[in-house]
Amino acid sequence: MSVPPESPSEHNEEPPEEQFQSDSHHPAAPSDELFDITTTVDPSYIISLIRKLLPANVKHGELCKITTSSPPENGGNQSCSIDESQTMKKFENFVEQSLDGKLCCQNKHEDVPAGEEAWEEFGCILWDLAASRTHAEFMVENFVLEVLLAILMISKSARVTEISLGIIGNLACHDVSRKKIASTNGLIGAVLQQLFLDDTPCLCEACRLITLFLPSDESVFLAEALQSEHILCRILWIVENTLNIQLLEKSISLILAIAESKQDVVAILLPPLIKLGLPHILVDLLSVEISKLIEERSPERYSILDLILQTVEALSVIDDYSQEICSNKELFQLLVQLIKHPDKAEFANCCVTASVLTANILTDATDLALEISQDMLFLQGLLDVFPFASDDIEARSAIWSILARLLVRIQKTDMSPSNLHQHVSVLTSKSEVVEDELLNYSFDDSSDDNRSSSKLKARTFALNGIVEILSRWRALEDDMKGTLSMEGCYVNERDVDKMLHYCCKYTKFTAEELLNGPTIDKS
């Protein structure tokens, strides 16, 4: 039922008007009601669906006592901040108004379906219809949010709660209805209260709804409601403890949306999340996912791995939190392990994100480059990422950034002939990858502005490092080269000459410009 913002779901096929009129449980449009909206769905039918969602006791003017679910043992004794008196007052007014309004029963004997199965049918139709902006705006104009608020506050059915949250989630995909959600007194509080349920589908829909709000103009309002330590602890508890893949994906997406939100939201929510141990939780999750990747290779988990990496990357470029991320050696080792992994095609996006994050870390923790400067598998794995980053300029710049820092360390090392030969063997084995990168993206250095950019400097410095290593190898005695090749690391001298040629061709900075070493932006 979930849909992305402003995009109808694949199930959101608007049935023709004739279909609705032919079904016995779909009431005909009242003759005295006129609706000025453009839609293939009868507006009266939408109103009838909303009316059928009303709890029976509310429809007869009897408001049942509000009950709230208890949080789990680790959730503390606090309750979500919901102004129940104001909410109930507003809802009582809504019920009174509905007696003479569009939600009033046209037939006093008509009743809300008693069975959950019938309620589910009507709710799921509205869930799909809410994916359409036109339908969503019409629904909120006709009290659907007040009805859903009442349902959330009194429902004891997990399925009913899930559908209610799903409808609100689809409504939140559209600007007008999202603003109405934010202005409906008590609704956001009621949604946040559902985070303390133990039902996985309900938690998925609650996380999706909150995530949809974070990039919007209403995000600060939501952040202020969300900032309670009690609620944030519950979100982190879900992230850390759920075994359900879909819920894990939704909850991590929520954390990522917070990290990528506007500055006001970040200022409200990230400090308490960091204090509550978010970086440690993310690293633990990353460790688990990489272990599963090595042991199981489950494709359904690749998206989770990428979301974790994106979240850590988002934190790594925020000034107040980058140091905590970049100083985490376990994180760095996990990234190195992932980049070294062979057969990257199935989880290529993860490796691209890991490369960008590694570049960000090395910018702040330059000493870590020494640890991987002699790791041939890492060098080979890093070069293997180039083809997967072909459409991402920032990612390609990150790879050149890492190469530049590694080759700086290598050039300062007095390598043995054997070590030198191993480096040359790795570089020439990936010569076509490097050549394709240079040929396909030569436009990057076509302007004067790019000539002075730190990104182009990093690439040029890396190429100079390659030239230096290859030149050292060429200076070795022929007998020495032959002996080393027989030991298992074969090097073709023609490949060396070819690589030297095109690396020199794309090295345009003067020695003076390169003296200060690569100055690399976080990307």
Side-chain angles (χ1 to χ4, degrees):
M1 296 295 178
S2 305
V3 296
E6 300 296 339
S7 300
S9 70
E10 63 180 358
H11 303 294
N12 184 33
E13 295 292 336
E14 298 179 352
E17 185 174 343
E18 294 78 6
Q19 177 181 340
F20 293 132
Q21 293 177 345
S22 64
D23 292 340
S24 60
H25 61 275
H26 295 160
S31 59
D32 59 340
E33 293 184 3
L34 298 176
F35 305 97
D36 186 22
I37 67 170
T38 303
T39 173
T40 59
V41 179
D42 189 336
S44 300
Y45 171 61
I46 297 177
I47 288 179
S48 74
L49 290 174
I50 297 173
R51 190 169 62 224
K52 285 182 178 295
L53 296 191
L54 273 169
N57 53 348
V58 171
K59 205 166 183 180
H60 291 293
E62 301 173 0
L63 296 176
C64 66
K65 184 178 179 181
I66 299 174
T67 58
T68 58
S69 59
S70 301
E73 294 181 0
N74 65 322
N77 296 320
Q78 303 178 20
S79 60
C80 286
S81 177
I82 301 177
D83 190 341
E84 294 185 358
S85 61
Q86 290 297 319
T87 300
M88 288 305 300
K89 182 177 180 181
K90 181 173 181 178
F91 187 71
E92 287 169 357
N93 292 336
F94 155 69
V95 173
E96 291 175 5
Q97 293 168 5
S98 73
L99 294 176
D100 296 317
K102 293 180 179 179
L103 288 182
C104 178
C105 297
Q106 300 300 318
N107 181 343
K108 66 173 62 179
H109 299 295
E110 181 184 1
D111 200 2
V112 176
E116 183 178 325
E117 184 177 345
W119 193 102
E120 179 179 342
E121 177 188 354
F122 302 130
C124 286
I125 295 172
L126 283 174
W127 193 346
D128 278 345
L129 290 176
S132 161
R133 180 182 59 80
T134 302
H135 296 148
E137 293 179 8
F138 183 75
M139 289 163 65
V140 298
E141 288 171 2
N142 288 276
F143 305 109
V144 72
L145 293 177
E146 287 82 356
V147 170
L148 293 171
L149 172 58
I151 293 167
L152 288 178
M153 298 178 79
I154 66 176
S155 173
K156 296 181 179 179
S157 164
R159 179 58 175 158
V160 167
T161 300
E162 177 200 356
I163 294 171
S164 300
L165 291 171
I167 296 172
I168 300 171
N170 280 7
L171 294 172
C173 296
H174 317 290
D175 291 340
V176 173
S177 49
R178 185 173 57 247
K179 292 180 187 298
K180 183 65 175 175
I181 292 171
S183 64
T184 299
N185 188 29
L187 183 54
I188 290 296
V191 169
L192 296 182
Q193 191 172 354
Q194 310 313 309
L195 290 170
F196 294 92
L197 298 175
D198 291 325
D199 182 75
T200 296
C202 289
L203 292 175
C204 286
E205 288 305 318
C207 288
R208 181 180 80 98
L209 202 166
I210 297 168
T211 302
L212 286 168
F213 259 85
L214 287 167
S216 71
D217 293 336
E218 293 73 40
S219 57
V220 174
F221 170 79
L222 175 64
E224 290 172 348
L226 197 61
Q227 66 181 328
S228 163
E229 182 175 318
H230 178 54
I231 297 175
L232 295 179
C233 277
R234 174 60 174 172
I235 292 173
L236 291 180
W237 185 90
I238 294 170
V239 171
E240 194 172 13
N241 291 280
T242 183
L243 298 177
N244 182 276
I245 292 179
Q246 184 182 11
L247 180 55
L248 182 57
E249 185 172 348
K250 296 291 185 184
S251 56
I252 297 174
S253 295
L254 170 54
I255 300 296
L256 174 59
I258 292 173
E260 293 182 337
S261 294
K262 61 180 67 174
Q263 188 173 356
D264 291 345
V265 175
V266 169
I268 293 172
L269 295 179
L270 266 190
L273 284 172
I274 297 295
K275 182 180 178 182
L276 291 170
L278 175 59
H280 176 73
I281 291 173
L282 290 172
V283 173
D284 283 350
L285 288 174
L286 183 61
S287 177
V288 170
E289 293 304 319
I290 290 179
S291 296
K292 289 183 180 294
L293 174 69
I294 295 172
E295 297 170 4
E296 303 173 12
R297 296 293 288 269
S298 302
E300 64 270 15
R301 304 197 71 94
Y302 296 161
S303 60
I304 294 174
L305 175 59
D306 197 33
L307 281 171
I308 297 170
L309 290 166
Q310 288 182 52
T311 305
V312 179
E313 180 199 343
L315 294 177
S316 74
V317 296
I318 301 176
D319 290 339
D320 293 340
Y321 311 110
S322 61
Q323 186 57 42
E324 184 164 357
I325 297 297
C326 296
S327 62
N328 192 310
K329 289 194 173 182
E330 182 183 358
L331 170 62
F332 184 73
Q333 291 168 357
L334 289 169
L335 296 173
V336 170
Q337 185 179 6
L338 180 60
I339 292 172
K340 288 165 63 173
H341 199 287
D343 303 324
K344 296 178 174 63
E346 293 182 12
F347 49 95
N349 289 339
C350 301
C351 295
V352 171
T353 308
S355 299
V356 174
L357 181 51
T358 301
N360 291 348
I361 291 176
L362 291 177
T363 301
D364 282 351
T366 56
D367 58 305
L368 291 176
L370 180 61
E371 296 183 13
I372 54 175
S373 61
Q374 301 299 318
D375 190 333
M376 303 299 158
L377 290 178
F378 178 80
L379 178 60
Q380 180 175 323
L382 184 65
L383 292 170
D384 283 335
V385 179
F386 262 132
F388 303 121
S390 58
D391 297 327
D392 190 335
I393 294 176
E394 295 300 320
R396 287 171 17 235
S397 298
I399 297 172
W400 283 117
S401 162
I402 299 170
L403 283 172
R405 295 189 183 281
L406 295 182
L407 294 171
V408 166
R409 297 289 184 179
I410 292 171
Q411 289 179 69
K412 293 180 179 179
T413 303
D414 186 16
M415 290 187 291
S416 65
S418 176
N419 195 306
L420 176 62
H421 189 83
Q422 290 176 17
H423 277 87
V424 172
S425 177
V426 170
L427 290 171
T428 54
S429 70
K430 301 299 176 184
S431 61
E432 292 185 0
V433 171
V434 176
E435 184 176 11
D436 287 344
E437 160 66 15
L438 294 172
L439 289 173
N440 293 336
Y441 302 100
S442 58
F443 63 85
D444 287 354
D445 61 359
S446 59
S447 69
D448 291 338
D449 290 340
N450 278 331
R451 276 181 54 82
S452 61
S453 72
S454 59
K455 293 176 181 177
L456 186 55
K457 267 191 177 180
R459 190 184 80 170
T460 305
F461 204 92
L463 292 175
N464 274 278
I466 294 174
V467 170
E468 169 69 18
I469 291 174
L470 297 180
S471 298
R472 284 196 202 180
W473 182 87
R474 287 186 66 188
L476 292 176
E477 296 290 337
D478 290 341
D479 291 344
M480 176 68 73
K481 295 175 187 175
T483 301
L484 293 170
S485 292
M486 292 176 63
E487 291 178 355
C489 294
Y490 177 75
V491 174
N492 187 315
E493 193 152 357
R494 289 184 179 179
D495 290 340
V496 173
D497 292 340
K498 183 180 178 182
M499 196 171 192
L500 271 172
H501 172 72
Y502 60 72
C503 285
C504 290
K505 178 181 177 181
Y506 288 95
T507 304
K508 295 183 178 180
F509 280 99
T510 65
E512 183 179 352
E513 289 176 304
L514 297 172
L515 280 177
N516 294 326
T519 304
I520 300 150
D521 290 337
K522 289 182 179 180
S523 55

